[in-house]
């Protein structure tokens, strides 16, 4: 018989006090903060990130199956090859579109692509756009409490992911996006220790914010979180919610309008979009992406920014 | 376990019900219930229901809910100010301690606070009656201490219930604010309505073991933004249309007998930048109609208890007696 009795501490509330119930970052309301001013007085920072991913077919799925990963018994050729389609075909449609509209993307890259698709990574590195580390691969989830993170040797996983990507691309790689945007209790600390200046994993804000000072990096500043919206992520809208492409387009445009209007009174805002070559790079979807870029590039108040540029512009003002 | 919770009697929605007229001849009572919640990052495990799908720390689910408090709250509040709507807050009462700034803003606007438990990550499942009573009492006292309000309504945390939930809430309300409490205001002000039942578009009398006069106020699961967006995966513009269609029919039927429309919201859903516009269009539409009583949960419950509760109980008994059965 399973024990269905409640744990003894179920009626105790040790974290019931002012502020957050953890020590990652302090409590603060967006509208009560100092107004942020973006370069050239622009109202809205647009950070367009393309996630370039490797989904291993021998997925361990620990501690959970990554969304978008393998779902069928091994060998799951359908999902392996459809994700690979994004890296072979879809990405080039996306690149053509962003170049056409002059919108500069960033790429969050699974470091394992240095071995799996060096031709692709080489091409991306040559473009000169900022590359963020997206962990080792989509099946290498960062998870668990501090003890679990140590048992999983997560520190070494982060070190390896960063050194491989830095060496291959020649870029300093100061931005991070965890696979599935999942973190362990220690991830933020490890990232700061490894020279990461910002991550996009926590989706609790519409502007960057600093982690608590224990997350101090060698550069002497605490890790910054620059929320990369999951609500507006193409995978969330199209694959999780099964909304139409028309609705995807409308949702992002509505978000853009609202944030621009809010910026009139409250200072600079940020629209952070994460997209996937294996989704929007499909022939039946690419036109919607192009329409989206046409809309965004028609707004003169938008500042096209990489994660690092947002980091720099924000860090200068928030102190 | 029971096949039927037996909180209320079957009562057909037809012309035999006493006709409801809301104040100033309004056809519809419209109320808006922002859920202002606190989810814990690392709550103790409940064996019946996991708080998060991932192991601690589940930063994605936690993060977007935190977004509701950091970013979303003020957005929705500005919208409600614009359309002259006072919120009836379904409150995770620990928020009084965690984020008193939000409580202060709601107090300044004379919004109603009602109990949604202490945390939305502490489920009722598995609690003894004594523990559940303690939890409910703590939540109502917290509201009183931080806002001075006598908590009138209840929505169980994360909609997790026991068979006794409504009885306990009604009893604790009387214990804290009833005749013997020292805080009596000439009528029952604490523990008078529940939002936990979705069986009707009008208020209905609820049986309690103490026999207290207690009502269910329509709260609507269907119009709840989290149900629409997360469970039913509705597109934002479609949600706006659903709200208008819900209003249209209830408004039309309100000419026959007054109806209640409720929009339950969450700042981490409806206040996201891609969803607020659709919501605003619906609010604009609803509040542009005459004969809509824009009110709060407590005011609906009070009005109903004063004017229609007795007639409803009588009518239910009479209809059953007419066919020779007991209600």
């Amino acid at each position: 018989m399973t024990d269905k009795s409640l744990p003894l501490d179920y009626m105790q509330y040790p974290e019931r006090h002012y502020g957050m119930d953890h020590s990652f970052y302090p409590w603060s309301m967006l509208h009560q903060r100092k107004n942020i001013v973006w370069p050239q007085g622009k109202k809205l920072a647009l950070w367009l990130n393309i996630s370039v991913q490797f989904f291993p077919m021998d997925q361990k799925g620990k501690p959970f199956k990554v969304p978008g990963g393998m779902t069928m018994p091994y060998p799951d050729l359908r999902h392996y090859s459809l994700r690979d389609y994004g890296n072979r075909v879809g990405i080039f449609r996306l690149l053509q579109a962003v170049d056409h509209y002059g919108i500069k993307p960033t790429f969050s890259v699974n470091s394992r692509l240095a071995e799996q698709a060096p031709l692709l990574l080489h091409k991306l590195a040559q473009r000169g756009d900022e590359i963020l580390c997206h962990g080792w691969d989509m099946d290498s989830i960062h998870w668990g409490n501090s003890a679990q993170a140590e048992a999983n040797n997560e520190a070494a996983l982060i070190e390896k992911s960063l050194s491989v990507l830095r060496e291959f691309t020649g870029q300093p790689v100061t931005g991070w996006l965890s696979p599935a945007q999942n973190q362990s209790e220690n991830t933020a600390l490890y990232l700061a220790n490894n020279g990461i200046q910002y991550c996009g994993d926590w989706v609790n804000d519409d502007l960057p914010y600093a982690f608590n000072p224990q997350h101090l990096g060698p550069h002497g500043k605490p890790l910054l979180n620059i929320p990369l919206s999951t609500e507006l992520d193409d995978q969330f809208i199209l694959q999780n919610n099964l909304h139409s492409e028309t609705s995807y387009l409308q949702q992002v445009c509505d978000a853009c309008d609202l944030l621009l209007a809010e910026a009139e009174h409250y200072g600079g805002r940020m629209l952070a979009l994460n997209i996937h070559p294996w989704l929007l790079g499909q022939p039946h979807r690419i036109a919607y992406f192009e329409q989206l870029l046409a809309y965004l590039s028609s707004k003169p108040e938008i500042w096209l920014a990489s994660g690092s540029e947002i980091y720099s512009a924000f860090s200068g003002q928030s102190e | 376990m029971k096949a039927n919770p037996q909180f209320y009697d079957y009562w057909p929605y037809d012309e035999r019900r006493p006709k409801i007229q809301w104040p100033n001849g309004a056809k519809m009572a419209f109320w808006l219930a922002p859920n202002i919640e606190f989810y814990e990052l690392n709550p103790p495990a409940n064996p019946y229901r996991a708080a998060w799908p991932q192991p601690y720390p589940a930063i994605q689910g936690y993060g977007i809910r935190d977004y509701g408090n950091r970013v979303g709250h003020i957005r929705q509040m500005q919208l409600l100010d614009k359309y002259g709507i006072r919120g009836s807050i379904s409150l995770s009462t620990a928020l009084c301690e965690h984020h008193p700034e939000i409580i202060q803003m709601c107090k300044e606007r004379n919004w109603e606070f009602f109990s949604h438990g202490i945390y939305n990550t502490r489920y009722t499942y598995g609690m003894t009656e004594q523990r559940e009573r303690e939890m409910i009492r703590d939540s109502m006292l917290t509201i009183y201490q931080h806002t001075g309000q006598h908590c009138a309504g209840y929505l169980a945390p994360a909609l997790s219930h026991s068979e006794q939930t409504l009885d306990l809430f009604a009893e604790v309300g009387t214990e804290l604010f009833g005749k013997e409490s020292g805080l009596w205001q000439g009528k029952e002000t604490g523990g008078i309505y529940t939002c936990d039942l979705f069986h009707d578009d009008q208020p209905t009398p609820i049986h309690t073991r103490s026999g207290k006069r207690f009502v269910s106020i329509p709260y609507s699961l269907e119009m709840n933004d989290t149900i629409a967006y997360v469970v039913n995966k509705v597109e934002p513009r479609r949600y706006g249309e659903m709200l208008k269609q819900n209003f249209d029919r209830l408004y039309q039927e309100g000419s026959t007998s007054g109806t209640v429309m409720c929009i339950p919201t969450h700042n981490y859903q409806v206040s996201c930048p891609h969803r607020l516009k659709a919501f605003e269009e619906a609010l604009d539409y609803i509040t542009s109609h005459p004969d809509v009583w824009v009110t709060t949960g407590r005011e609906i419950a009070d009005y109903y208890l004063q004017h229609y509760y007795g007639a409803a109980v009588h009518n239910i008994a009479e209809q059953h007696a007419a066919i020779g059965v007991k209600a």
Side-chain angles (χ1 to χ4, degrees), chain A residues 130 143 189 248:
Chain A
E130 181 182 350
W143 67 276
L189 214 53
Y248 168 77

Side-chain angles (χ1 to χ4, degrees), chain B residues 150 174 176-190:
Chain B
H150 297 185
T174 297
L176 294 177
F177 307 111
K179 273 186 182 146
E180 315 295 320
S181 68
L183 296 169
W184 179 249
Q185 293 180 344
K187 63 178 178 184
E188 290 280 0
T189 48

Side-chain angles (χ1 to χ4, degrees), chain A residues 3-22 24-33 63-64 143-146 148 180-185 200-206 209 228-232 236-237 240-244 247 250-252 254-259 262 266 269, chain B residues 38-42 44-48 53-60 62-64 66-71 73-75 78 93-94 97-102 105 118-119 121-128 130-132 134-135 138-139 142 229-230 232-237 268-269 271-278:
Chain A
D3 181 14
K4 288 285 199 179
S5 57
L6 293 179
L8 291 174
D9 61 351
Y10 205 75
M11 305 297 285
Q12 289 164 18
Y13 311 100
E15 299 293 337
R16 189 174 175 181
H17 52 68
Y18 182 77
M20 305 312 297
D21 61 333
H22 56 72
F24 290 106
Y25 53 81
W27 156 243
S28 138
M29 292 177 91
L30 174 64
H31 289 63
Q32 295 180 343
R33 291 178 219 153
F64 56 85
W143 67 276
N145 61 30
S146 196
Q148 287 166 321
Q181 290 179 252
N182 203 75
Q183 289 191 355
S184 78
E185 194 173 3
D201 290 335
W202 292 72
V203 290
N204 56 341
D205 216 301
D206 277 340
Y209 63 87
L228 187 58
S229 168
T230 33
E231 290 283 339
L232 288 172
F236 185 72
I237 293 178
N240 181 75
N241 292 344
L242 301 175
H243 293 174
S244 68
S247 179
Q250 188 155 58
Q251 290 180 51
V252 181
D254 282 354
C256 173
D257 293 350
L258 183 132
L259 292 166
E262 209 168 83
Y266 294 98
R269 285 286 182 263
Chain B
F38 200 102
Y39 285 74
E40 298 159 284
L41 186 57
N42 199 14
N46 184 301
Y48 295 83
Q54 299 89 18
Y56 164 82
I59 70 166
Q60 280 287 303
Y62 181 91
I64 191 64
D66 188 28
Y67 178 98
N69 293 328
R70 289 170 75 92
V71 181
H73 171 69
I74 296 180
R75 264 188 207 144
Q78 286 172 342
T93 61
E97 282 105 356
H98 287 288
H99 303 330
E101 299 88 346
I102 291 181
M105 285 185 266
I118 298 172
Y119 285 110
T121 36
R122 303 276 179 139
Y123 308 122
T124 308
Y125 309 124
M127 284 186 187
T128 59
Q130 184 51 35
R131 282 180 158 190
E132 187 181 6
E134 265 174 49
M135 182 272 285
D138 181 328
S139 73
T142 304
Y229 285 130
V230 181
N232 297 334
K233 302 189 186 307
V234 168
E235 296 174 352
R237 294 293 187 98
Y268 64 92
Q269 293 294 338
S271 303
C272 285
H274 54 302
R275 299 203 181 105
L276 203 69
K277 179 181 178 138

Side-chain angles (χ1 to χ4, degrees), chain B residues 293-313:
Chain B
W293 181 31
V294 179
T295 184
T296 64
R298 175 202 301 279
E299 286 172 1
I300 299 171
D302 268 343
Y303 194 83
Y304 187 85
L305 282 168
Q306 195 186 339
H307 295 92
Y308 297 108
Y309 178 89
V313 170

Side-chain angles (χ1 to χ4, degrees), chain A residues 177-229:
Chain A
L177 187 69
S178 295
Q181 290 179 252
N182 203 75
Q183 289 191 355
S184 78
E185 194 173 3
N186 292 3
T187 304
L189 214 53
Y190 295 149
L191 294 178
N193 289 339
N194 280 281
I196 288 294
Q197 296 180 329
Y198 72 94
C199 69
D201 290 335
W202 292 72
V203 290
N204 56 341
D205 216 301
D206 277 340
L207 275 186
Y209 63 87
F211 274 63
N212 279 326
Q214 73 267 28
H215 303 91
L216 210 62
H219 41 78
K221 286 180 184 167
L223 184 73
L224 208 66
N225 186 61
I226 308 184
L228 187 58
S229 168

